[in-house]
Short mmCIF file of all heavy atoms in Angstrom, two decimals:
data_model
loop_
_atom_site.label_atom_id
_atom_site.label_comp_id
_atom_site.label_asym_id
_atom_site.label_seq_id
_atom_site.Cartn_x
_atom_site.Cartn_y
_atom_site.Cartn_z
N LEU A 106 149.47 164.27 101.48
CA LEU A 106 148.87 165.54 101.77
C LEU A 106 149.67 166.09 103.00
O LEU A 106 149.74 165.47 104.07
CB LEU A 106 147.43 165.43 102.07
CG LEU A 106 146.69 166.67 102.12
CD1 LEU A 106 146.54 167.33 100.80
CD2 LEU A 106 145.25 166.39 102.65
N ARG A 107 150.19 167.31 102.90
CA ARG A 107 150.82 168.06 104.02
C ARG A 107 149.79 168.79 104.73
O ARG A 107 149.10 169.61 104.09
CB ARG A 107 151.96 168.86 103.49
CG ARG A 107 152.67 169.67 104.62
CD ARG A 107 153.67 168.78 105.24
NE ARG A 107 154.54 169.58 106.09
CZ ARG A 107 155.07 169.09 107.22
NH1 ARG A 107 154.81 167.87 107.60
NH2 ARG A 107 155.87 169.82 107.89
N VAL A 108 149.59 168.58 106.02
CA VAL A 108 148.58 169.33 106.84
C VAL A 108 149.33 169.96 108.04
O VAL A 108 150.42 169.51 108.44
CB VAL A 108 147.48 168.39 107.27
CG1 VAL A 108 146.61 168.01 106.01
CG2 VAL A 108 147.94 167.18 107.99
N PRO A 109 148.77 170.93 108.65
CA PRO A 109 149.38 171.69 109.75
C PRO A 109 149.72 170.88 110.94
O PRO A 109 150.78 171.16 111.67
CB PRO A 109 148.46 172.84 110.10
CG PRO A 109 147.35 172.80 109.17
CD PRO A 109 147.40 171.55 108.37
N ASP A 110 148.93 169.84 111.30
CA ASP A 110 149.25 169.09 112.53
C ASP A 110 148.72 167.63 112.30
O ASP A 110 148.32 167.28 111.22
CB ASP A 110 148.61 169.70 113.80
CG ASP A 110 147.11 169.95 113.57
OD1 ASP A 110 146.40 169.10 112.99
OD2 ASP A 110 146.63 170.96 114.10
N ASP A 111 148.74 166.86 113.35
CA ASP A 111 148.42 165.48 113.25
C ASP A 111 146.91 165.11 113.60
O ASP A 111 146.64 163.93 113.97
CB ASP A 111 149.33 164.56 114.09
CG ASP A 111 150.73 164.46 113.39
OD1 ASP A 111 150.88 164.86 112.25
OD2 ASP A 111 151.62 164.03 114.11
N GLN A 112 146.05 166.08 113.51
CA GLN A 112 144.61 165.88 113.73
C GLN A 112 144.05 165.05 112.52
O GLN A 112 144.55 165.29 111.39
CB GLN A 112 143.88 167.13 113.92
CG GLN A 112 144.17 167.91 115.21
CD GLN A 112 143.24 169.13 115.32
OE1 GLN A 112 142.98 169.80 114.22
NE2 GLN A 112 142.70 169.32 116.46
N PRO A 113 143.08 164.17 112.81
CA PRO A 113 142.45 163.47 111.69
C PRO A 113 141.77 164.43 110.64
O PRO A 113 141.22 165.49 111.09
CB PRO A 113 141.36 162.60 112.39
CG PRO A 113 141.82 162.48 113.80
CD PRO A 113 142.55 163.79 114.04
N VAL A 114 141.92 164.14 109.40
CA VAL A 114 141.43 164.97 108.34
C VAL A 114 140.54 164.15 107.40
O VAL A 114 140.85 162.93 107.20
CB VAL A 114 142.51 165.67 107.51
CG1 VAL A 114 143.28 166.67 108.33
CG2 VAL A 114 143.42 164.73 106.89
N THR A 115 139.51 164.76 106.84
CA THR A 115 138.71 164.13 105.82
C THR A 115 139.05 164.77 104.55
O THR A 115 139.00 166.06 104.41
CB THR A 115 137.25 164.25 106.14
OG1 THR A 115 137.03 163.58 107.44
CG2 THR A 115 136.44 163.55 105.06
N VAL A 116 139.48 164.02 103.54
CA VAL A 116 139.92 164.55 102.29
C VAL A 116 139.02 164.08 101.17
O VAL A 116 138.69 162.84 101.05
CB VAL A 116 141.35 164.10 101.91
CG1 VAL A 116 141.87 164.72 100.65
CG2 VAL A 116 142.33 164.50 103.06
N THR A 117 138.50 164.96 100.38
CA THR A 117 137.73 164.64 99.18
C THR A 117 138.68 164.86 97.96
O THR A 117 139.16 165.99 97.83
CB THR A 117 136.48 165.49 99.07
OG1 THR A 117 135.67 165.28 100.28
CG2 THR A 117 135.68 165.12 97.83
N TYR A 118 138.84 163.86 97.20
CA TYR A 118 139.82 163.92 96.06
C TYR A 118 139.46 163.11 94.94
O TYR A 118 138.69 162.10 95.04
CB TYR A 118 141.23 163.52 96.61
CG TYR A 118 141.40 162.09 96.98
CD1 TYR A 118 142.18 161.29 96.22
CD2 TYR A 118 140.83 161.58 98.14
CE1 TYR A 118 142.36 159.94 96.56
CE2 TYR A 118 141.00 160.27 98.49
CZ TYR A 118 141.73 159.50 97.73
OH TYR A 118 141.97 158.16 98.08
N THR A 119 139.96 163.50 93.71
CA THR A 119 139.84 162.71 92.49
C THR A 119 141.08 161.97 92.27
O THR A 119 142.16 162.40 92.44
CB THR A 119 139.52 163.74 91.34
OG1 THR A 119 138.32 164.45 91.67
CG2 THR A 119 139.30 162.94 90.04
N HIS A 120 140.86 160.70 91.83
CA HIS A 120 141.97 159.77 91.71
C HIS A 120 141.72 158.78 90.53
O HIS A 120 140.59 158.73 90.09
CB HIS A 120 142.18 158.97 93.00
CG HIS A 120 140.91 158.30 93.42
ND1 HIS A 120 140.51 157.11 92.90
CD2 HIS A 120 139.95 158.57 94.35
CE1 HIS A 120 139.35 156.71 93.47
NE2 HIS A 120 139.03 157.71 94.35
N GLY A 121 142.73 157.99 90.19
CA GLY A 121 142.49 156.99 89.18
C GLY A 121 143.09 157.38 87.88
O GLY A 121 143.57 158.47 87.65
N TYR A 122 143.09 156.40 86.99
CA TYR A 122 143.66 156.52 85.63
C TYR A 122 142.66 156.83 84.61
O TYR A 122 141.52 156.42 84.66
CB TYR A 122 144.39 155.24 85.29
CG TYR A 122 145.53 154.84 86.16
CD1 TYR A 122 145.30 154.12 87.33
CD2 TYR A 122 146.82 155.23 85.84
CE1 TYR A 122 146.41 153.82 88.16
CE2 TYR A 122 147.87 154.92 86.74
CZ TYR A 122 147.69 154.20 87.85
OH TYR A 122 148.73 153.85 88.66
N ALA A 123 143.02 157.70 83.59
CA ALA A 123 142.15 157.95 82.47
C ALA A 123 141.94 156.73 81.70
O ALA A 123 140.88 156.51 81.18
CB ALA A 123 142.80 159.10 81.66
N ALA A 124 142.92 155.87 81.57
CA ALA A 124 142.82 154.58 80.86
C ALA A 124 143.51 153.56 81.74
O ALA A 124 144.49 153.79 82.44
CB ALA A 124 143.45 154.62 79.51
N VAL A 125 142.98 152.31 81.82
CA VAL A 125 143.53 151.27 82.67
C VAL A 125 144.96 150.93 82.16
O VAL A 125 145.23 150.77 80.98
CB VAL A 125 142.69 149.95 82.59
CG1 VAL A 125 143.33 148.81 83.34
CG2 VAL A 125 141.27 150.23 83.03
N PRO A 126 145.96 150.97 83.11
CA PRO A 126 147.29 150.64 82.68
C PRO A 126 147.42 149.33 82.01
O PRO A 126 146.75 148.39 82.32
CB PRO A 126 148.08 150.64 84.08
CG PRO A 126 147.24 151.48 84.94
CD PRO A 126 145.82 151.23 84.57
N GLY A 127 148.37 149.23 81.07
CA GLY A 127 148.49 148.05 80.18
C GLY A 127 148.74 146.74 81.02
O GLY A 127 148.23 145.75 80.74
N ASP A 128 149.61 146.89 82.07
CA ASP A 128 149.91 145.64 82.81
C ASP A 128 148.72 145.19 83.59
O ASP A 128 148.45 143.98 83.79
CB ASP A 128 151.16 145.85 83.71
CG ASP A 128 151.08 147.10 84.66
OD1 ASP A 128 150.14 147.88 84.49
OD2 ASP A 128 152.01 147.19 85.45
N VAL A 129 147.94 146.10 84.10
CA VAL A 129 146.67 145.76 84.87
C VAL A 129 145.69 145.17 83.86
O VAL A 129 145.04 144.09 84.18
CB VAL A 129 146.07 146.98 85.55
CG1 VAL A 129 144.73 146.68 86.18
CG2 VAL A 129 147.03 147.56 86.62
N LEU A 130 145.50 145.71 82.72
CA LEU A 130 144.63 145.22 81.70
C LEU A 130 145.07 143.77 81.31
O LEU A 130 144.26 142.85 81.17
CB LEU A 130 144.68 146.12 80.43
CG LEU A 130 143.75 145.75 79.28
CD1 LEU A 130 142.33 145.83 79.72
CD2 LEU A 130 144.00 146.74 78.09
N ALA A 131 146.38 143.57 81.12
CA ALA A 131 146.88 142.24 80.81
C ALA A 131 146.51 141.15 81.86
O ALA A 131 146.09 140.04 81.55
CB ALA A 131 148.39 142.27 80.60
N VAL A 132 146.66 141.55 83.16
CA VAL A 132 146.20 140.60 84.23
C VAL A 132 144.77 140.29 84.15
O VAL A 132 144.35 139.09 84.33
CB VAL A 132 146.66 141.17 85.57
CG1 VAL A 132 146.15 140.26 86.76
CG2 VAL A 132 148.21 141.29 85.69
N VAL A 133 143.93 141.30 83.99
CA VAL A 133 142.45 141.04 83.94
C VAL A 133 142.14 140.17 82.74
O VAL A 133 141.40 139.18 82.85
CB VAL A 133 141.73 142.38 83.89
CG1 VAL A 133 140.23 142.19 83.52
CG2 VAL A 133 141.85 143.18 85.12
N LEU A 134 142.65 140.45 81.61
CA LEU A 134 142.37 139.69 80.40
C LEU A 134 142.96 138.29 80.48
O LEU A 134 142.22 137.34 80.11
CB LEU A 134 142.92 140.40 79.15
CG LEU A 134 142.22 141.73 78.81
CD1 LEU A 134 143.01 142.42 77.70
CD2 LEU A 134 140.78 141.51 78.44
N THR A 135 144.13 138.09 81.09
CA THR A 135 144.67 136.79 81.22
C THR A 135 143.87 135.91 82.15
O THR A 135 143.58 134.79 81.89
CB THR A 135 146.17 136.87 81.65
OG1 THR A 135 146.90 137.61 80.68
CG2 THR A 135 146.79 135.53 81.81
N LEU A 136 143.49 136.50 83.31
CA LEU A 136 142.71 135.78 84.26
C LEU A 136 141.33 135.39 83.76
O LEU A 136 140.87 134.26 83.83
CB LEU A 136 142.53 136.63 85.59
CG LEU A 136 141.57 136.08 86.66
CD1 LEU A 136 141.96 134.66 87.12
CD2 LEU A 136 141.53 137.01 87.84
#
Side-chain angles (χ1 to χ4, degrees):
L106 192 69
R107 179 81 167 146
V108 291
D110 54 39
D111 286 349
Q112 289 185 320
V114 295
T115 300
V116 182
T117 302
Y118 67 110
T119 301
H120 54 81
Y122 296 87
V125 177
D128 51 353
V129 174
L130 183 62
V132 172
V133 171
L134 293 171
T135 300
L136 175 56

